Amino acid sequence: PVIDRCASYSSLSMVEERAAIGIQKLLHAEQKAAEVVADARADKVRKLKLAKDEAEAEIAAYKQQRESQFHIFSKERMGDSGAHKTNIDKETIRELNTIATQVKANGDTMVKMLLQSVTTVG
């Protein structure tokens, strides 16, 4: 019986040792898996940031291109705003001079027509 006890203790000790080794392997595998998941998350964050930066750069380039096209379009359609104002000012002065000339030429006639219209009883 004493020998049987020793044999059962040693087999029990081997089972416990194997269990401890199995648990250590499981803990090591779990730690390794956690590292793989952490690396994957970090890689995902890095890729998302890179994609965001690339998209922002692409948007900025597109915006600059469209603003450049708009600037060219504006110049073609409206011309230089200073030249446009100068042309409008010249045209306005020309029209005012034409009106002043017509008033001078027809002023007496208009005054006579107005006086006749006011003094004539219908």
Side-chain angles (χ1 to χ4, degrees):
V2 172
I3 296 175
D4 286 339
R5 283 188 191 163
C6 283
S8 72
Y9 281 131
S10 75
S11 68
L12 187 60
S13 171
M14 283 177 45
V15 169
E16 287 177 351
E17 188 178 324
R18 286 183 183 157
I21 291 172
I23 290 172
Q24 287 299 320
K25 285 183 179 179
L26 286 173
L27 288 173
H28 181 68
E30 184 180 356
Q31 182 182 5
K32 200 76 158 154
E35 289 173 2
V36 168
V37 169
D39 289 344
R41 283 187 180 142
D43 192 43
K44 179 182 175 184
V45 167
R46 183 186 58 78
K47 286 180 179 178
L48 285 173
K49 185 175 180 181
L50 181 64
K52 179 184 174 194
D53 292 344
E54 288 174 356
E56 286 176 349
E58 192 174 321
I59 288 169
Y62 180 74
K63 183 179 178 183
Q64 182 185 12
Q65 176 191 8
R66 295 299 289 173
E67 285 177 353
S68 175
Q69 288 175 343
F70 177 73
H71 185 68
I72 292 168
F73 176 81
S74 295
K75 275 192 169 182
E76 288 175 354
R77 296 295 185 260
M78 294 189 306
D80 187 16
S81 62
H84 184 66
K85 182 184 179 313
T86 303
N87 289 339
I88 293 293
D89 288 345
K90 286 179 183 177
E91 189 176 325
T92 302
I93 291 171
R94 192 175 324 117
E95 287 181 21
L96 287 174
N97 287 337
T98 302
I99 292 171
T101 303
Q102 290 175 349
V103 166
K104 250 186 203 178
N106 299 319
D108 292 336
T109 307
M110 284 302 295
V111 170
K112 287 180 187 176
M113 288 176 63
L114 284 173
L115 284 175
Q116 185 180 4
S117 174
V118 171
T119 56
T120 306
V121 179

